[in-house]
Amino acid sequence: MRIPRLLQAVLVMVGVYLGFIVGFDVVLGQVIPSSLLTMYMFFVAAGVFMTFTYDDERTRELVAPIKALVEDPSRRWLRNLVFTVVPLAAGAATFVQMQPSFDAPVELRSIHPAPPTTAKIFGRRVNLLEVENPFRTLEKDDPEGFAEMVVEGAEIYIRNCQYCHGDKLDGRGPYAAGLNPTPLDFQDVGTIAQLQESYLFWRIATGGPGLPKEAAPWISSMPVWQDFLTEDEIWKVILFLYDYTGHRPRSWEHG
């Protein structure tokens, strides 16, 4: 019995896929990243179909089952079944793929992922390379007004943030032990002292769901604070974070 060419192509790709899984996961003991496997399989599929459609005769043999399924009236029930099951399966696979993963990533997790150049925050596109804290200039121009902004930021922080980040900004709030990843220690010179205020604005506004893929797993409990705070409130909290810890925000001029 001759195996149809379409089934041959599918079997070849399935065989290569299983070969990657067995070769990396079992033989080498190194789990192949899904993104890398997807890229490999893209080139494998392209190579397989280029081979199986080398000439007109092979192409006709490859598409013959599909053509028969679509055009043969006697296969109506099978056609309806395929046209129902395939879209549902594709939708289910897409839904599963889009779900956040709680598994530790194969790649190293980036604690401070690179921010995008722009981000949609408070309903508008914000250029993170240019946006600045609107209250920072008060530090020199109006010290008393600046101090009031810091106090307001502290009150907002205590009402909303200290439960996880701690009243001393050390990442040891009452709920911190139950979180993964645990909240950052803002007192540490390796956290906000190394960042521009625009970075904090982006992270606070977009929260855990705003983390890019390289920062996964994002089972962070950080809310999307732009849904709960105003833009000015977030900037005031940032003033308080730097004022309380004694750190200075990095400027673009100093990297």
Side-chain angles (χ1 to χ4, degrees), residues 115-188:
T117 304
T118 64
K120 190 174 183 180
I121 303 175
F122 290 107
R124 71 178 193 278
R125 183 63 57 180
V126 175
N127 188 334
L128 297 175
L129 299 179
E130 298 178 353
V131 67
E132 295 180 351
N133 193 327
F135 304 118
R136 180 57 64 182
T137 57
L138 296 176
E139 191 172 15
K140 291 183 179 179
D141 300 340
D142 183 4
E144 292 185 1
F146 181 79
E148 292 177 2
M149 297 294 105
V150 172
V151 170
E152 291 183 26
E155 293 173 349
I156 298 167
Y157 177 89
I158 293 300
R159 285 200 305 269
N160 299 282
C161 313
Q162 63 90 19
Y163 303 102
C164 299
H165 290 283
D167 55 2
K168 297 184 183 304
L169 284 64
D170 55 3
R172 298 181 180 180
Y175 300 156
L179 303 177
N180 180 13
T182 56
L184 293 180
D185 178 3
F186 296 144
Q187 300 280 5
D188 190 299

Side-chain angles (χ1 to χ4, degrees), residues 16 63 73-74 81-82 87 104 153 162 181 188 221 235:
V16 174
V63 301
S74 66
L81 178 64
V82 170
Q162 63 90 19
D188 190 299
S221 296
W235 285 121

Side-chain angles (χ1 to χ4, degrees), residues 56-77:
D56 292 342
E57 182 180 355
R58 293 185 179 187
T59 302
R60 283 194 295 272
E61 290 181 5
L62 183 70
V63 301
I66 301 175
K67 188 176 180 181
L69 177 67
V70 174
E71 298 179 350
D72 190 347
S74 66
R75 299 187 180 185
R76 181 178 179 181
W77 66 270

Side-chain angles (χ1 to χ4, degrees), residues 217-254:
W218 57 270
I219 54 177
S220 165
S221 296
M222 183 78 168
V224 180
W225 282 111
Q226 62 178 323
D227 294 341
F228 305 100
L229 299 177
T230 67
E231 184 173 348
D232 285 352
E233 287 176 327
I234 292 178
W235 285 121
K236 291 173 185 177
V237 169
I238 294 172
L239 290 182
F240 167 68
L241 297 181
Y242 283 103
D243 184 82
Y244 187 90
T245 59
H247 299 314
R248 296 293 302 174
R250 301 195 74 174
S251 64
W252 291 110
E253 289 77 13
H254 296 89

Side-chain angles (χ1 to χ4, degrees), residues 191-222:
T191 57
I192 63 174
Q194 305 297 322
L195 303 171
Q196 290 91 1
E197 287 182 293
S198 61
Y199 185 99
L200 272 68
F201 179 71
W202 166 63
R203 289 295 304 111
I204 295 172
T206 60
L211 282 169
K213 188 176 181 180
E214 62 267 26
W218 57 270
I219 54 177
S220 165
S221 296
M222 183 78 168

Side-chain angles (χ1 to χ4, degrees), residues 17 20 32-45 97 213:
Y17 176 83
F20 279 132
I32 183 171
S34 59
S35 58
L36 187 61
L37 180 59
T38 301
M39 184 180 67
Y40 285 165
M41 289 308 301
F42 171 80
F43 289 111
V44 168
Q97 186 69 25
K213 188 176 181 180

